[in-house]
Amino acid sequence: MKKILISCATGALLTLLVVATYQTVQHVNSIAPASTETVTPQLKPLAVNPSWVKQGTPNFRATEFFKSSDGKTSSGIFECDASTFEWHYQLDEAIYVLDGGVELDYQGKRFTLKAGDSAFFRAGTTATWHVPSHIRKTWTLYDAGKVPRTFAKVSN
């Protein structure tokens, strides 16, 4: 019995070592180079499902300026003009408002975000955005994966 336990433990440790080595090689081979100069992200038109727009002409613009080597995390800048629209979150998203503001209806609450404010939205939820004039924000998306998202739904 002791030999079986030692064999199982050794197998588990070797498996963890192989996985860690694979992840390290993937990271080293796909990580972006460190910045050596200033880069100004250029916003591009962002296509959004037209049924999400409830009022106005949002003129969505965005650009991604970072993506992690494993593809699970990305960051960027988003802006739009005066409008009301729904946003359906496929991934966890943290935002920080740079300019302008928004009134949000989210999870049964209504609140306002202005420059300097931040908020977090969970994957699988929907928010209604009321942008009075414009908003410019940074975003960070995180893909926890299907299993963690499923457990997060169950625990709430």
Side-chain angles (χ1 to χ4, degrees), residues 32-63:
S35 296
T36 57
E37 60 185 18
T38 301
V39 177
T40 303
Q42 298 300 311
L43 300 179
K44 300 172 192 139
L46 176 65
V48 173
N49 184 332
S51 70
W52 292 10
V53 178
K54 302 305 176 195
Q55 183 179 11
T57 308
N59 187 22
F60 298 114
R61 301 166 305 281
T63 191

Side-chain angles (χ1 to χ4, degrees), residues 94-152:
I95 69 166
Y96 178 82
V97 179
L98 299 168
D99 190 38
V102 61
E103 289 181 15
L104 288 161
D105 292 318
Y106 182 65
Q107 305 240 17
K109 305 279 185 190
R110 184 169 207 152
F111 56 99
T112 301
L113 298 175
K114 61 187 179 329
D117 292 338
S118 65
F120 177 74
F121 305 91
R122 295 188 65 167
T125 63
T126 300
T128 301
W129 288 61
H130 308 280
V131 179
S133 67
H134 74 282
I135 188 165
R136 181 175 176 91
K137 67 178 179 89
T138 64
W139 48 263
T140 299
L141 300 175
Y142 177 66
D143 184 357
K146 191 173 185 172
V147 172
R149 282 196 310 269
T150 300
F151 279 109

Side-chain angles (χ1 to χ4, degrees), residues 16-31 69-70:
L16 289 173
L17 179 62
V18 168
V19 168
T21 301
Y22 174 78
Q23 289 174 334
T24 301
V25 169
Q26 287 293 97
H27 177 72
V28 169
N29 289 334
S30 61
I31 191 169
S69 61
D70 63 3

